[in-house]
Amino acid sequence: MAPSSRLDERAPVFAISAAAELSGMHPQTLRQYDRLGLVVPRRTRGRGRRYSARNVMRAREIQELSQDEGVNLAGIKRILQSQDEVQTLQDQLQRVRETLESMSPARRRVFTADRDGEISALRRGERPRRALRGGALVVWRPGHRR
């Protein structure tokens, strides 16, 4: 399929009845998940819920964690928040890698961070001006594996 004809998994296209059928649960369960912030559909002007394919997949995941794994809804909420945070960080890291790969080697910089989180940019071969108090200098090379 051409990239322009791909379906957007985040597009809010399903009414609650269709989303409930696709996820294999009752519409009231989806409403409860919405109230708890577990699955948050977009709203129409008339305040109707519109679910995306991603919302449906998330509802299935919640159901699996709850019924098959015995995790309560508060625990599921924390798991989902952690997964979202990890995904955000992975996306951010990918953007940084792409930026570094697109830069010429001469423009790439070296950074240090002390244990207080103070970040300093260095030139290649330059050492940090102040000693790292009980910390360590970490060198990160994109694509370099140990």
Side-chain angles (χ1 to χ4, degrees), residues 8-11 14 38-39 51-61 83-84 87-88 91:
D8 181 4
E9 69 177 19
R10 296 177 188 259
F14 303 112
L38 295 171
V39 177
Y51 292 83
S52 67
R54 188 175 180 95
N55 291 141
V56 172
M57 290 185 293
R58 179 161 269 196
R60 287 180 184 166
E61 183 179 6
Q83 286 177 340
D84 290 344
Q87 186 60 53
T88 298
D91 293 345

Side-chain angles (χ1 to χ4, degrees), residues 17-53:
S17 58
E21 187 174 330
L22 289 169
S23 63
M25 55 187 66
H26 195 276
Q28 194 60 35
T29 304
L30 288 177
R31 289 184 189 97
Q32 180 68 17
Y33 289 172
D34 185 13
R35 280 190 288 277
L36 295 172
L38 295 171
V39 177
V40 183
R42 293 211 187 133
R43 299 291 182 147
T44 64
R45 287 185 184 195
R47 301 288 298 147
R49 293 171 172 90
R50 287 293 180 264
Y51 292 83
S52 67

Side-chain angles (χ1 to χ4, degrees), residues 114-133:
D114 64 19
R115 81 177 168 194
D116 296 326
E118 187 67 32
I119 298 174
S120 304
L122 303 172
R123 292 189 192 106
R124 291 197 179 279
E126 183 182 5
R127 289 248 186 246
R129 287 190 178 89
R130 61 179 183 260
L132 298 173
R133 299 180 313 255

